[in-house]
Amino acid sequence: DGGITQSPKYLFRKEGQNVTLSCEQNLNHDAMYWYRQDPGQGLRLIYYSQIVNDFQKGDIAEGYSVSREKKESFPLTVTSAQKNPTAFYLCASSMDRVGHQPQHFGDGTRLSIL
Amino acid sequence: SQQGEEDPQALSIQEGENATMNCSYKTSINNLQWYRQNSGRGLVHLILIRSNEREKHSGRLRVTLDTSKKSSSLLITASRAADTASYFCAFLNQAGTALIFGKGTTLSVSS
């Protein structure tokens, strides 16, 4: 079955530590996205990539970094510079241009601070 | 703010009843999308309505779009307990670079 796989499902970060969230898709989609969701809130865009080796900052990119070396993979690193990282992180992909096609989502990674 | 707003924030109904939730936005749009999120899961795309469409159906879902009022509504008919979830509208931002999601309507359907 085609889809998006996020791992791990739960992740704990210590102070001063960088952690990386994995996102893999086998839908052959060009565009991929990372969102952050806080309790009772909508989704806020962290980074997006419309093509391999290219990515753009979203509304809340500070303290995060990404790479897009392969079409299938779009990992997100939460750096120690992100002072309030506790949230639910969602990865998504779409066939092409942002907003013109439905986005397909993974089941998220819940990140907490130890 | 470009953020969409869903109304109501929370809705509780009995099985078999209809559920209506609304979304308002402030910018011009190319299309508007509705998504569902079950607790602790990712979002699932429900329906996309283009700016030149006024109404669209998918199974028990009916979506309307009024671009003059900058609003959309999602109607779920004959609701079931399995419809319990949060529902979000989403549309393209003014720069055309990202989807803007509202804060969602949390629907509870009791049997």
Side-chain angles (χ1 to χ4, degrees):
Chain A
D1 281 341
I4 298 182
T5 301
Q6 289 188 241
S7 62
K9 192 171 178 65
Y10 299 96
L11 187 58
F12 298 91
R13 195 192 87 169
K14 295 179 182 177
E15 292 287 340
Q17 186 182 42
N18 293 351
V19 292
T20 298
L21 284 61
S22 170
C23 177
E24 302 279 332
Q25 56 102 353
N26 61 4
L27 298 166
N28 199 33
H29 285 171
D30 285 320
M32 296 187 75
Y33 318 85
W34 274 105
Y35 294 93
R36 170 180 172 140
Q37 186 177 31
D38 293 283
Q41 300 295 313
L43 278 65
R44 291 185 291 168
L45 183 67
I46 305 172
Y47 269 98
Y48 66 99
S49 167
Q50 296 196 31
I51 198 167
V52 175
N53 291 323
D54 185 58
F55 49 83
Q56 306 295 328
K57 293 181 180 180
D59 297 323
I60 55 165
E62 186 173 348
Y64 301 98
S65 66
V66 294
S67 63
R68 185 87 188 276
E69 297 176 1
K70 298 186 299 182
K71 188 175 185 177
E72 313 82 59
S73 179
F74 192 40
L76 173 74
T77 296
V78 183
T79 75
S80 57
Q82 173 48 248
K83 298 306 180 188
N84 182 25
T86 297
F88 190 48
Y89 291 86
L90 288 161
C91 179
S93 71
S94 64
M95 194 179 303
D96 52 21
R97 291 175 60 195
V98 176
H100 296 268
Q101 296 289 337
Q103 292 189 7
H104 298 253
F105 284 79
D107 270 341
T109 292
R110 193 167 298 279
L111 176 61
S112 303
I113 295 294
L114 277 179
Chain B
S1 167
Q2 295 184 67
Q3 190 170 33
E5 290 189 14
E6 283 95 343
D7 170 59
Q9 288 188 334
L11 181 60
S12 293
I13 59 174
Q14 298 285 323
E15 263 192 331
E17 294 180 338
N18 295 344
T20 300
M21 50 206 88
N22 305 295
C23 169
S24 60
Y25 56 92
K26 296 180 180 179
T27 64
S28 299
I29 60 169
N30 179 277
N31 64 60
L32 187 139
Q33 303 181 34
W34 284 91
Y35 290 80
R36 183 188 76 228
Q37 183 180 31
N38 289 84
S39 181
R41 304 293 298 273
L43 278 69
V44 174
H45 180 260
L46 295 176
I47 201 162
L48 183 153
I49 186 166
R50 302 193 188 283
S51 59
N52 61 352
E53 297 175 308
R54 291 295 167 259
E55 188 170 311
K56 201 163 182 179
H57 296 254
S58 177
R60 293 184 296 112
L61 305 180
R62 173 180 163 240
V63 168
T64 61
L65 179 64
D66 187 336
T67 53
S68 66
K69 294 182 179 178
K70 289 187 164 46
S71 68
S72 174
S73 68
L74 170 66
L75 168 67
I76 304 174
T77 60
S79 63
R80 306 165 181 169
D83 294 327
T84 294
S86 293
Y87 292 83
F88 296 88
C89 66
F91 51 89
L92 201 60
N93 66 2
Q94 285 184 309
T97 55
L99 280 183
I100 303 291
F101 286 83
K103 293 185 178 182
T105 292
T106 299
L107 173 66
S108 297
V109 182
S110 53
S111 53

